PDB file of all heavy atoms in Angstrom:
ATOM      1  N   ALA A 180      -0.102  -3.419   7.746  1.00 93.00           N
ATOM      2  CA  ALA A 180      -1.321  -2.713   7.519  1.00 93.00           C
ATOM      3  C   ALA A 180      -1.225  -1.256   7.994  1.00 93.00           C
ATOM      4  O   ALA A 180      -1.678  -0.379   7.257  1.00 93.00           O
ATOM      5  CB  ALA A 180      -2.510  -3.375   8.296  1.00 93.00           C
ATOM      6  N   ALA A 181      -0.572  -0.952   9.170  1.00 93.00           N
ATOM      7  CA  ALA A 181      -0.537   0.421   9.740  1.00 93.00           C
ATOM      8  C   ALA A 181       0.389   1.243   8.856  1.00 93.00           C
ATOM      9  O   ALA A 181      -0.063   2.403   8.497  1.00 93.00           O
ATOM     10  CB  ALA A 181      -0.032   0.340  11.137  1.00 93.00           C
ATOM     11  N   GLU A 182       1.412   0.704   8.354  1.00 94.00           N
ATOM     12  CA  GLU A 182       2.314   1.577   7.534  1.00 94.00           C
ATOM     13  C   GLU A 182       1.680   1.702   6.190  1.00 94.00           C
ATOM     14  O   GLU A 182       1.814   2.774   5.446  1.00 94.00           O
ATOM     15  CB  GLU A 182       3.704   0.822   7.304  1.00 94.00           C
ATOM     16  CG  GLU A 182       4.715   1.588   6.531  1.00 94.00           C
ATOM     17  CD  GLU A 182       6.050   0.924   6.541  1.00 94.00           C
ATOM     18  OE1 GLU A 182       6.164  -0.227   6.976  1.00 94.00           O
ATOM     19  OE2 GLU A 182       6.916   1.601   5.934  1.00 94.00           O
ATOM     20  N   LEU A 183       0.913   0.720   5.638  1.00 95.00           N
ATOM     21  CA  LEU A 183       0.266   0.848   4.424  1.00 95.00           C
ATOM     22  C   LEU A 183      -0.787   1.904   4.455  1.00 95.00           C
ATOM     23  O   LEU A 183      -0.958   2.702   3.476  1.00 95.00           O
ATOM     24  CB  LEU A 183      -0.348  -0.631   4.003  1.00 95.00           C
ATOM     25  CG  LEU A 183      -0.915  -0.599   2.611  1.00 95.00           C
ATOM     26  CD1 LEU A 183      -0.056  -0.262   1.434  1.00 95.00           C
ATOM     27  CD2 LEU A 183      -1.521  -1.922   2.435  1.00 95.00           C
ATOM     28  N   GLU A 184      -1.567   1.873   5.609  1.00 95.00           N
ATOM     29  CA  GLU A 184      -2.548   2.966   5.723  1.00 95.00           C
ATOM     30  C   GLU A 184      -1.974   4.264   5.720  1.00 95.00           C
ATOM     31  O   GLU A 184      -2.511   5.250   5.178  1.00 95.00           O
ATOM     32  CB  GLU A 184      -3.300   2.664   7.144  1.00 95.00           C
ATOM     33  CG  GLU A 184      -4.385   3.665   7.339  1.00 95.00           C
ATOM     34  CD  GLU A 184      -5.168   3.462   8.657  1.00 95.00           C
ATOM     35  OE1 GLU A 184      -4.914   2.465   9.247  1.00 95.00           O
ATOM     36  OE2 GLU A 184      -6.058   4.240   8.952  1.00 95.00           O
ATOM     37  N   ARG A 185      -0.869   4.414   6.519  1.00 96.00           N
ATOM     38  CA  ARG A 185      -0.266   5.794   6.510  1.00 96.00           C
ATOM     39  C   ARG A 185       0.215   6.213   5.134  1.00 96.00           C
ATOM     40  O   ARG A 185       0.007   7.438   4.781  1.00 96.00           O
ATOM     41  CB  ARG A 185       1.019   5.683   7.480  1.00 96.00           C
ATOM     42  CG  ARG A 185       1.795   6.975   7.594  1.00 96.00           C
ATOM     43  CD  ARG A 185       3.025   6.806   8.476  1.00 96.00           C
ATOM     44  NE  ARG A 185       3.942   5.730   7.900  1.00 96.00           N
ATOM     45  CZ  ARG A 185       4.774   5.982   6.945  1.00 96.00           C
ATOM     46  NH1 ARG A 185       4.838   7.110   6.284  1.00 96.00           N
ATOM     47  NH2 ARG A 185       5.591   4.956   6.590  1.00 96.00           N
ATOM     48  N   VAL A 186       0.724   5.310   4.344  1.00 96.00           N
ATOM     49  CA  VAL A 186       1.200   5.653   2.999  1.00 96.00           C
ATOM     50  C   VAL A 186      -0.011   5.953   2.100  1.00 96.00           C
ATOM     51  O   VAL A 186      -0.010   6.924   1.400  1.00 96.00           O
ATOM     52  CB  VAL A 186       2.094   4.602   2.369  1.00 96.00           C
ATOM     53  CG1 VAL A 186       2.383   4.828   0.931  1.00 96.00           C
ATOM     54  CG2 VAL A 186       3.473   4.348   3.129  1.00 96.00           C
ATOM     55  N   SER A 187      -1.021   5.172   2.171  1.00 95.00           N
ATOM     56  CA  SER A 187      -2.075   5.259   1.209  1.00 95.00           C
ATOM     57  C   SER A 187      -3.050   6.450   1.660  1.00 95.00           C
ATOM     58  O   SER A 187      -3.941   6.784   0.771  1.00 95.00           O
ATOM     59  CB  SER A 187      -2.876   3.929   1.050  1.00 95.00           C
ATOM     60  OG  SER A 187      -3.384   3.597   2.376  1.00 95.00           O
ATOM     61  N   ARG A 188      -2.931   6.937   2.801  1.00 95.00           N
ATOM     62  CA  ARG A 188      -3.786   8.154   3.123  1.00 95.00           C
ATOM     63  C   ARG A 188      -3.084   9.478   2.633  1.00 95.00           C
ATOM     64  O   ARG A 188      -3.832  10.488   2.769  1.00 95.00           O
ATOM     65  CB  ARG A 188      -3.939   8.244   4.612  1.00 95.00           C
ATOM     66  CG  ARG A 188      -4.978   7.312   5.231  1.00 95.00           C
ATOM     67  CD  ARG A 188      -5.249   7.430   6.667  1.00 95.00           C
ATOM     68  NE  ARG A 188      -6.262   6.605   7.227  1.00 95.00           N
ATOM     69  CZ  ARG A 188      -7.552   6.876   7.263  1.00 95.00           C
ATOM     70  NH1 ARG A 188      -7.985   7.991   6.690  1.00 95.00           N
ATOM     71  NH2 ARG A 188      -8.428   5.990   7.812  1.00 95.00           N
ATOM     72  N   ARG A 189      -1.988   9.493   2.232  1.00 95.00           N
ATOM     73  CA  ARG A 189      -1.273  10.645   1.743  1.00 95.00           C
ATOM     74  C   ARG A 189      -2.105  11.119   0.505  1.00 95.00           C
ATOM     75  O   ARG A 189      -2.473  10.476  -0.380  1.00 95.00           O
ATOM     76  CB  ARG A 189       0.161  10.348   1.349  1.00 95.00           C
ATOM     77  CG  ARG A 189       1.063   9.995   2.429  1.00 95.00           C
ATOM     78  CD  ARG A 189       2.443   9.649   1.880  1.00 95.00           C
ATOM     79  NE  ARG A 189       3.334   9.209   2.973  1.00 95.00           N
ATOM     80  CZ  ARG A 189       4.603   8.586   2.640  1.00 95.00           C
ATOM     81  NH1 ARG A 189       4.925   8.360   1.402  1.00 95.00           N
ATOM     82  NH2 ARG A 189       5.311   8.203   3.669  1.00 95.00           N
ATOM     83  N   PRO A 190      -2.173  12.428   0.381  1.00 95.00           N
ATOM     84  CA  PRO A 190      -2.882  13.005  -0.841  1.00 95.00           C
ATOM     85  C   PRO A 190      -2.076  12.657  -2.136  1.00 95.00           C
ATOM     86  O   PRO A 190      -0.878  12.818  -2.227  1.00 95.00           O
ATOM     87  CB  PRO A 190      -2.794  14.601  -0.603  1.00 95.00           C
ATOM     88  CG  PRO A 190      -2.704  14.777   0.965  1.00 95.00           C
ATOM     89  CD  PRO A 190      -1.845  13.559   1.479  1.00 95.00           C
ATOM     90  N   GLY A 191      -2.883  12.098  -3.059  1.00 96.00           N
ATOM     91  CA  GLY A 191      -2.250  11.737  -4.307  1.00 96.00           C
ATOM     92  C   GLY A 191      -1.449  10.430  -4.207  1.00 96.00           C
ATOM     93  O   GLY A 191      -0.510  10.248  -5.039  1.00 96.00           O
ATOM     94  N   ALA A 192      -1.565   9.646  -3.247  1.00 97.00           N
ATOM     95  CA  ALA A 192      -0.817   8.429  -3.013  1.00 97.00           C
ATOM     96  C   ALA A 192      -0.897   7.497  -4.192  1.00 97.00           C
ATOM     97  O   ALA A 192      -2.083   7.400  -4.802  1.00 97.00           O
ATOM     98  CB  ALA A 192      -1.167   7.759  -1.677  1.00 97.00           C
ATOM     99  N   SER A 193       0.059   6.733  -4.542  1.00 98.00           N
ATOM    100  CA  SER A 193       0.045   5.914  -5.607  1.00 98.00           C
ATOM    101  C   SER A 193       1.067   4.747  -5.290  1.00 98.00           C
ATOM    102  O   SER A 193       1.687   4.714  -4.258  1.00 98.00           O
ATOM    103  CB  SER A 193       0.555   6.446  -6.903  1.00 98.00           C
ATOM    104  OG  SER A 193       1.912   6.916  -6.860  1.00 98.00           O
ATOM    105  N   VAL A 194       1.064   3.701  -6.173  1.00 97.00           N
ATOM    106  CA  VAL A 194       1.829   2.501  -6.032  1.00 97.00           C
ATOM    107  C   VAL A 194       3.262   2.764  -5.711  1.00 97.00           C
ATOM    108  O   VAL A 194       3.923   2.198  -4.975  1.00 97.00           O
ATOM    109  CB  VAL A 194       1.676   1.506  -7.155  1.00 97.00           C
ATOM    110  CG1 VAL A 194       2.541   0.350  -6.962  1.00 97.00           C
ATOM    111  CG2 VAL A 194       0.139   0.982  -7.147  1.00 97.00           C
ATOM    112  N   VAL A 195       3.872   3.809  -6.468  1.00 96.00           N
ATOM    113  CA  VAL A 195       5.129   4.208  -6.251  1.00 96.00           C
ATOM    114  C   VAL A 195       5.576   4.540  -4.842  1.00 96.00           C
ATOM    115  O   VAL A 195       6.743   4.381  -4.433  1.00 96.00           O
ATOM    116  CB  VAL A 195       5.592   5.274  -7.269  1.00 96.00           C
ATOM    117  CG1 VAL A 195       4.988   6.652  -6.858  1.00 96.00           C
ATOM    118  CG2 VAL A 195       7.064   5.299  -7.402  1.00 96.00           C
ATOM    119  N   ASP A 196       4.573   5.088  -4.136  1.00 97.00           N
ATOM    120  CA  ASP A 196       4.928   5.539  -2.757  1.00 97.00           C
ATOM    121  C   ASP A 196       4.920   4.233  -1.856  1.00 97.00           C
ATOM    122  O   ASP A 196       5.794   4.257  -0.913  1.00 97.00           O
ATOM    123  CB  ASP A 196       3.754   6.380  -2.143  1.00 97.00           C
ATOM    124  CG  ASP A 196       3.569   7.655  -2.857  1.00 97.00           C
ATOM    125  OD1 ASP A 196       4.680   8.391  -3.049  1.00 97.00           O
ATOM    126  OD2 ASP A 196       2.479   7.957  -3.411  1.00 97.00           O
ATOM    127  N   VAL A 197       4.198   3.247  -2.205  1.00 96.00           N
ATOM    128  CA  VAL A 197       4.361   1.913  -1.478  1.00 96.00           C
ATOM    129  C   VAL A 197       5.699   1.357  -1.738  1.00 96.00           C
ATOM    130  O   VAL A 197       6.393   0.784  -0.927  1.00 96.00           O
ATOM    131  CB  VAL A 197       3.299   1.027  -1.865  1.00 96.00           C
ATOM    132  CG1 VAL A 197       3.398  -0.346  -1.132  1.00 96.00           C
ATOM    133  CG2 VAL A 197       1.898   1.580  -1.501  1.00 96.00           C
ATOM    134  N   LEU A 198       6.197   1.497  -3.076  1.00 95.00           N
ATOM    135  CA  LEU A 198       7.461   0.936  -3.407  1.00 95.00           C
ATOM    136  C   LEU A 198       8.486   1.650  -2.649  1.00 95.00           C
ATOM    137  O   LEU A 198       9.578   0.932  -2.300  1.00 95.00           O
ATOM    138  CB  LEU A 198       7.716   1.006  -4.940  1.00 95.00           C
ATOM    139  CG  LEU A 198       6.817   0.172  -5.891  1.00 95.00           C
ATOM    140  CD1 LEU A 198       6.905   0.656  -7.275  1.00 95.00           C
ATOM    141  CD2 LEU A 198       7.238  -1.312  -5.715  1.00 95.00           C
ATOM    142  N   ALA A 199       8.498   2.858  -2.473  1.00 94.00           N
ATOM    143  CA  ALA A 199       9.515   3.688  -1.801  1.00 94.00           C
ATOM    144  C   ALA A 199       9.634   3.286  -0.405  1.00 94.00           C
ATOM    145  O   ALA A 199      10.591   3.231   0.190  1.00 94.00           O
ATOM    146  CB  ALA A 199       9.171   5.077  -1.973  1.00 94.00           C
ATOM    147  N   ALA A 200       8.440   3.124   0.250  1.00 95.00           N
ATOM    148  CA  ALA A 200       8.309   2.714   1.703  1.00 95.00           C
ATOM    149  C   ALA A 200       8.681   1.300   1.958  1.00 95.00           C
ATOM    150  O   ALA A 200       9.032   0.886   3.034  1.00 95.00           O
ATOM    151  CB  ALA A 200       6.886   3.058   2.248  1.00 95.00           C
ATOM    152  N   ASP A 201       8.717   0.338   0.893  1.00 92.00           N
ATOM    153  CA  ASP A 201       8.922  -0.972   1.056  1.00 92.00           C
ATOM    154  C   ASP A 201      10.405  -1.287   1.244  1.00 92.00           C
ATOM    155  O   ASP A 201      10.730  -2.347   1.795  1.00 92.00           O
ATOM    156  CB  ASP A 201       8.423  -1.667  -0.201  1.00 92.00           C
ATOM    157  CG  ASP A 201       8.464  -3.256  -0.106  1.00 92.00           C
ATOM    158  OD1 ASP A 201       7.507  -3.778   0.457  1.00 92.00           O
ATOM    159  OD2 ASP A 201       9.480  -3.814  -0.566  1.00 92.00           O
ATOM    160  N   HIS A 202      11.313  -0.422   0.667  1.00 81.00           N
ATOM    161  CA  HIS A 202      12.718  -0.606   0.916  1.00 81.00           C
ATOM    162  C   HIS A 202      13.249  -1.907   0.214  1.00 81.00           C
ATOM    163  O   HIS A 202      14.311  -2.413   0.695  1.00 81.00           O
ATOM    164  CB  HIS A 202      13.186  -0.463   2.317  1.00 81.00           C
ATOM    165  CG  HIS A 202      12.798   0.824   3.085  1.00 81.00           C
ATOM    166  ND1 HIS A 202      13.205   2.078   2.598  1.00 81.00           N
ATOM    167  CD2 HIS A 202      11.923   0.969   4.156  1.00 81.00           C
ATOM    168  CE1 HIS A 202      12.577   2.953   3.339  1.00 81.00           C
ATOM    169  NE2 HIS A 202      11.872   2.274   4.303  1.00 81.00           N
ATOM    170  N   GLY A 203      12.477  -2.412  -0.711  1.00 81.00           N
ATOM    171  CA  GLY A 203      12.931  -3.611  -1.415  1.00 81.00           C
ATOM    172  C   GLY A 203      12.626  -4.914  -0.760  1.00 81.00           C
ATOM    173  O   GLY A 203      12.962  -6.010  -1.185  1.00 81.00           O
ATOM    174  N   ALA A 204      12.000  -4.853   0.419  1.00 81.00           N
ATOM    175  CA  ALA A 204      11.753  -6.066   1.209  1.00 81.00           C
ATOM    176  C   ALA A 204      10.734  -6.872   0.599  1.00 81.00           C
ATOM    177  O   ALA A 204      10.537  -8.122   0.646  1.00 81.00           O
ATOM    178  CB  ALA A 204      11.600  -5.805   2.639  1.00 81.00           C
ATOM    179  N   GLY A 205       9.803  -6.163   0.031  1.00 90.00           N
ATOM    180  CA  GLY A 205       8.531  -6.906  -0.658  1.00 90.00           C
ATOM    181  C   GLY A 205       7.323  -7.122   0.298  1.00 90.00           C
ATOM    182  O   GLY A 205       6.247  -7.328  -0.164  1.00 90.00           O
ATOM    183  N   HIS A 206       7.598  -6.894   1.583  1.00 93.00           N
ATOM    184  CA  HIS A 206       6.511  -7.085   2.543  1.00 93.00           C
ATOM    185  C   HIS A 206       5.334  -6.130   2.447  1.00 93.00           C
ATOM    186  O   HIS A 206       4.148  -6.534   2.303  1.00 93.00           O
ATOM    187  CB  HIS A 206       6.910  -7.102   3.973  1.00 93.00           C
ATOM    188  CG  HIS A 206       7.264  -5.672   4.417  1.00 93.00           C
ATOM    189  ND1 HIS A 206       8.393  -5.039   4.122  1.00 93.00           N
ATOM    190  CD2 HIS A 206       6.597  -4.977   5.337  1.00 93.00           C
ATOM    191  CE1 HIS A 206       8.376  -3.820   4.613  1.00 93.00           C
ATOM    192  NE2 HIS A 206       7.255  -3.788   5.425  1.00 93.00           N
ATOM    193  N   LEU A 207       5.656  -4.889   2.168  1.00 96.00           N
ATOM    194  CA  LEU A 207       4.594  -3.819   2.077  1.00 96.00           C
ATOM    195  C   LEU A 207       3.856  -3.932   0.626  1.00 96.00           C
ATOM    196  O   LEU A 207       2.715  -3.700   0.611  1.00 96.00           O
ATOM    197  CB  LEU A 207       5.167  -2.462   2.241  1.00 96.00           C
ATOM    198  CG  LEU A 207       4.255  -1.341   2.553  1.00 96.00           C
ATOM    199  CD1 LEU A 207       3.566  -1.665   3.970  1.00 96.00           C
ATOM    200  CD2 LEU A 207       5.026  -0.028   2.685  1.00 96.00           C
ATOM    201  N   LEU A 208       4.640  -4.300  -0.406  1.00 96.00           N
ATOM    202  CA  LEU A 208       4.073  -4.490  -1.638  1.00 96.00           C
ATOM    203  C   LEU A 208       3.086  -5.575  -1.770  1.00 96.00           C
ATOM    204  O   LEU A 208       1.942  -5.409  -2.297  1.00 96.00           O
ATOM    205  CB  LEU A 208       5.153  -4.458  -2.760  1.00 96.00           C
ATOM    206  CG  LEU A 208       4.592  -4.501  -4.265  1.00 96.00           C
ATOM    207  CD1 LEU A 208       4.009  -3.226  -4.546  1.00 96.00           C
ATOM    208  CD2 LEU A 208       5.968  -4.768  -5.107  1.00 96.00           C
ATOM    209  N   SER A 209       3.376  -6.702  -1.109  1.00 96.00           N
ATOM    210  CA  SER A 209       2.600  -7.834  -1.239  1.00 96.00           C
ATOM    211  C   SER A 209       1.296  -7.584  -0.385  1.00 96.00           C
ATOM    212  O   SER A 209       0.245  -7.898  -0.691  1.00 96.00           O
ATOM    213  CB  SER A 209       3.171  -9.104  -0.835  1.00 96.00           C
ATOM    214  OG  SER A 209       3.682  -8.971   0.620  1.00 96.00           O
ATOM    215  N   ALA A 210       1.552  -6.840   0.771  1.00 97.00           N
ATOM    216  CA  ALA A 210       0.364  -6.381   1.619  1.00 97.00           C
ATOM    217  C   ALA A 210      -0.492  -5.530   0.888  1.00 97.00           C
ATOM    218  O   ALA A 210      -1.787  -5.584   1.064  1.00 97.00           O
ATOM    219  CB  ALA A 210       0.852  -5.709   2.931  1.00 97.00           C
ATOM    220  N   LEU A 211       0.000  -4.591   0.006  1.00 97.00           N
ATOM    221  CA  LEU A 211      -0.847  -3.716  -0.716  1.00 97.00           C
ATOM    222  C   LEU A 211      -1.727  -4.495  -1.625  1.00 97.00           C
ATOM    223  O   LEU A 211      -2.987  -4.247  -1.712  1.00 97.00           O
ATOM    224  CB  LEU A 211       0.048  -2.813  -1.643  1.00 97.00           C
ATOM    225  CG  LEU A 211      -0.639  -2.031  -2.782  1.00 97.00           C
ATOM    226  CD1 LEU A 211      -1.589  -1.020  -2.198  1.00 97.00           C
ATOM    227  CD2 LEU A 211       0.291  -1.460  -3.759  1.00 97.00           C
ATOM    228  N   TRP A 212      -1.250  -5.493  -2.417  1.00 97.00           N
ATOM    229  CA  TRP A 212      -2.132  -6.239  -3.273  1.00 97.00           C
ATOM    230  C   TRP A 212      -3.148  -7.069  -2.499  1.00 97.00           C
ATOM    231  O   TRP A 212      -4.302  -7.188  -2.973  1.00 97.00           O
ATOM    232  CB  TRP A 212      -1.223  -7.144  -4.153  1.00 97.00           C
ATOM    233  CG  TRP A 212      -0.350  -6.458  -5.036  1.00 97.00           C
ATOM    234  CD1 TRP A 212       1.032  -6.791  -5.125  1.00 97.00           C
ATOM    235  CD2 TRP A 212      -0.512  -5.358  -5.864  1.00 97.00           C
ATOM    236  NE1 TRP A 212       1.624  -5.802  -5.958  1.00 97.00           N
ATOM    237  CE2 TRP A 212       0.710  -4.998  -6.421  1.00 97.00           C
ATOM    238  CE3 TRP A 212      -1.705  -4.635  -6.190  1.00 97.00           C
ATOM    239  CZ2 TRP A 212       0.699  -3.983  -7.315  1.00 97.00           C
ATOM    240  CZ3 TRP A 212      -1.579  -3.522  -7.047  1.00 97.00           C
ATOM    241  CH2 TRP A 212      -0.333  -3.150  -7.594  1.00 97.00           C
ATOM    242  N   HIS A 213      -2.815  -7.523  -1.392  1.00 96.00           N
ATOM    243  CA  HIS A 213      -3.801  -8.291  -0.572  1.00 96.00           C
ATOM    244  C   HIS A 213      -4.868  -7.403  -0.083  1.00 96.00           C
ATOM    245  O   HIS A 213      -6.099  -7.694  -0.188  1.00 96.00           O
ATOM    246  CB  HIS A 213      -3.065  -8.996   0.716  1.00 96.00           C
ATOM    247  CG  HIS A 213      -4.051  -9.393   1.680  1.00 96.00           C
ATOM    248  ND1 HIS A 213      -4.721 -10.697   1.445  1.00 96.00           N
ATOM    249  CD2 HIS A 213      -4.565  -8.913   2.846  1.00 96.00           C
ATOM    250  CE1 HIS A 213      -5.509 -10.813   2.490  1.00 96.00           C
ATOM    251  NE2 HIS A 213      -5.430  -9.868   3.329  1.00 96.00           N
ATOM    252  N   HIS A 214      -4.578  -6.109   0.406  1.00 96.00           N
ATOM    253  CA  HIS A 214      -5.591  -5.283   0.757  1.00 96.00           C
ATOM    254  C   HIS A 214      -6.372  -4.585  -0.301  1.00 96.00           C
ATOM    255  O   HIS A 214      -7.422  -4.280  -0.140  1.00 96.00           O
ATOM    256  CB  HIS A 214      -4.991  -4.173   1.669  1.00 96.00           C
ATOM    257  CG  HIS A 214      -4.474  -4.618   2.998  1.00 96.00           C
ATOM    258  ND1 HIS A 214      -5.395  -5.157   3.990  1.00 96.00           N
ATOM    259  CD2 HIS A 214      -3.198  -4.773   3.678  1.00 96.00           C
ATOM    260  CE1 HIS A 214      -4.728  -5.584   5.058  1.00 96.00           C
ATOM    261  NE2 HIS A 214      -3.426  -5.360   4.906  1.00 96.00           N
ATOM    262  N   CYS A 215      -5.818  -4.603  -1.595  1.00 96.00           N
ATOM    263  CA  CYS A 215      -6.529  -4.248  -2.733  1.00 96.00           C
ATOM    264  C   CYS A 215      -7.601  -5.366  -3.027  1.00 96.00           C
ATOM    265  O   CYS A 215      -8.792  -5.065  -3.354  1.00 96.00           O
ATOM    266  CB  CYS A 215      -5.694  -3.984  -3.932  1.00 96.00           C
ATOM    267  SG  CYS A 215      -4.644  -2.541  -3.988  1.00 96.00           S
ATOM    268  N   TRP A 216      -7.182  -6.555  -2.824  1.00 96.00           N
ATOM    269  CA  TRP A 216      -8.120  -7.683  -3.013  1.00 96.00           C
ATOM    270  C   TRP A 216      -9.237  -7.625  -2.061  1.00 96.00           C
ATOM    271  O   TRP A 216     -10.517  -7.770  -2.346  1.00 96.00           O
ATOM    272  CB  TRP A 216      -7.516  -9.070  -2.969  1.00 96.00           C
ATOM    273  CG  TRP A 216      -8.435 -10.163  -3.039  1.00 96.00           C
ATOM    274  CD1 TRP A 216      -9.043 -10.752  -4.117  1.00 96.00           C
ATOM    275  CD2 TRP A 216      -9.057 -10.851  -1.928  1.00 96.00           C
ATOM    276  NE1 TRP A 216      -9.832 -11.690  -3.822  1.00 96.00           N
ATOM    277  CE2 TRP A 216      -9.834 -11.876  -2.424  1.00 96.00           C
ATOM    278  CE3 TRP A 216      -8.856 -10.785  -0.519  1.00 96.00           C
ATOM    279  CZ2 TRP A 216     -10.707 -12.663  -1.645  1.00 96.00           C
ATOM    280  CZ3 TRP A 216      -9.593 -11.682   0.292  1.00 96.00           C
ATOM    281  CH2 TRP A 216     -10.504 -12.513  -0.242  1.00 96.00           C
ATOM    282  N   SER A 217      -8.919  -7.348  -0.748  1.00 93.00           N
ATOM    283  CA  SER A 217      -9.925  -7.318   0.314  1.00 93.00           C
ATOM    284  C   SER A 217     -10.844  -6.051   0.293  1.00 93.00           C
ATOM    285  O   SER A 217     -11.857  -6.066   0.898  1.00 93.00           O
ATOM    286  CB  SER A 217      -9.233  -7.397   1.651  1.00 93.00           C
ATOM    287  OG  SER A 217      -8.694  -6.234   2.008  1.00 93.00           O
ATOM    288  N   GLY A 218     -10.400  -5.019  -0.499  1.00 93.00           N
ATOM    289  CA  GLY A 218     -11.127  -3.804  -0.478  1.00 93.00           C
ATOM    290  C   GLY A 218     -10.674  -2.803   0.585  1.00 93.00           C
ATOM    291  O   GLY A 218     -11.241  -1.673   0.513  1.00 93.00           O
ATOM    292  N   ALA A 219      -9.807  -3.156   1.524  1.00 94.00           N
ATOM    293  CA  ALA A 219      -9.249  -2.160   2.371  1.00 94.00           C
ATOM    294  C   ALA A 219      -8.548  -1.001   1.691  1.00 94.00           C
ATOM    295  O   ALA A 219      -8.614   0.221   2.226  1.00 94.00           O
ATOM    296  CB  ALA A 219      -8.247  -2.822   3.374  1.00 94.00           C
ATOM    297  N   VAL A 220      -7.885  -1.278   0.599  1.00 96.00           N
ATOM    298  CA  VAL A 220      -7.243  -0.240  -0.315  1.00 96.00           C
ATOM    299  C   VAL A 220      -8.010  -0.113  -1.579  1.00 96.00           C
ATOM    300  O   VAL A 220      -8.239  -1.118  -2.206  1.00 96.00           O
ATOM    301  CB  VAL A 220      -5.812  -0.495  -0.483  1.00 96.00           C
ATOM    302  CG1 VAL A 220      -5.351   0.490  -1.513  1.00 96.00           C
ATOM    303  CG2 VAL A 220      -5.040  -0.538   0.861  1.00 96.00           C
ATOM    304  N   GLU A 221      -8.329   1.027  -1.842  1.00 96.00           N
ATOM    305  CA  GLU A 221      -9.097   1.273  -3.109  1.00 96.00           C
ATOM    306  C   GLU A 221      -8.145   1.536  -4.219  1.00 96.00           C
ATOM    307  O   GLU A 221      -7.138   2.298  -4.006  1.00 96.00           O
ATOM    308  CB  GLU A 221     -10.086   2.548  -2.999  1.00 96.00           C
ATOM    309  CG  GLU A 221     -11.173   2.297  -2.050  1.00 96.00           C
ATOM    310  CD  GLU A 221     -12.073   3.610  -1.800  1.00 96.00           C
ATOM    311  OE1 GLU A 221     -11.404   4.663  -2.154  1.00 96.00           O
ATOM    312  OE2 GLU A 221     -13.136   3.518  -1.360  1.00 96.00           O
ATOM    313  N   ILE A 222      -8.325   0.842  -5.409  1.00 97.00           N
ATOM    314  CA  ILE A 222      -7.534   0.984  -6.510  1.00 97.00           C
ATOM    315  C   ILE A 222      -8.400   0.584  -7.685  1.00 97.00           C
ATOM    316  O   ILE A 222      -9.270  -0.216  -7.655  1.00 97.00           O
ATOM    317  CB  ILE A 222      -6.277   0.047  -6.571  1.00 97.00           C
ATOM    318  CG1 ILE A 222      -5.310   0.466  -7.570  1.00 97.00           C
ATOM    319  CG2 ILE A 222      -6.669  -1.329  -6.558  1.00 97.00           C
ATOM    320  CD1 ILE A 222      -3.934  -0.192  -7.400  1.00 97.00           C
ATOM    321  N   ASP A 223      -8.313   1.412  -8.829  1.00 98.00           N
ATOM    322  CA  ASP A 223      -9.174   1.228  -9.934  1.00 98.00           C
ATOM    323  C   ASP A 223      -8.673   0.009 -10.866  1.00 98.00           C
ATOM    324  O   ASP A 223      -7.660   0.085 -11.432  1.00 98.00           O
ATOM    325  CB  ASP A 223      -9.198   2.462 -10.810  1.00 98.00           C
ATOM    326  CG  ASP A 223     -10.332   2.428 -11.876  1.00 98.00           C
ATOM    327  OD1 ASP A 223     -10.809   1.401 -12.118  1.00 98.00           O
ATOM    328  OD2 ASP A 223     -10.604   3.537 -12.496  1.00 98.00           O
TER     329      ASP A 223
END
């Protein structure tokens, strides 16, 4: 969550920034979708 918050607070942040920070492990990307579901991360 802390890393995801740091990434998603960047101006103009998008999913590709999460992919870059994930380093292929998948943990950050799956956390992104969870927090999109919960509303912690806003996405249209």
Side-chain angles (χ1 to χ4, degrees):
E182 187 175 7
L183 184 60
E184 179 180 359
R185 178 181 59 80
V186 172
S187 59
R188 280 184 179 275
R189 295 173 184 170
S193 64
V194 173
V195 73
D196 296 305
V197 177
L198 289 169
D201 187 85
H202 304 300
H206 73 289
L207 199 60
L208 186 60
S209 63
L211 167 66
W212 301 128
H213 171 76
H214 289 297
C215 285
W216 175 82
S217 71
V220 173
E221 294 176 340
I222 192 167
D223 193 344

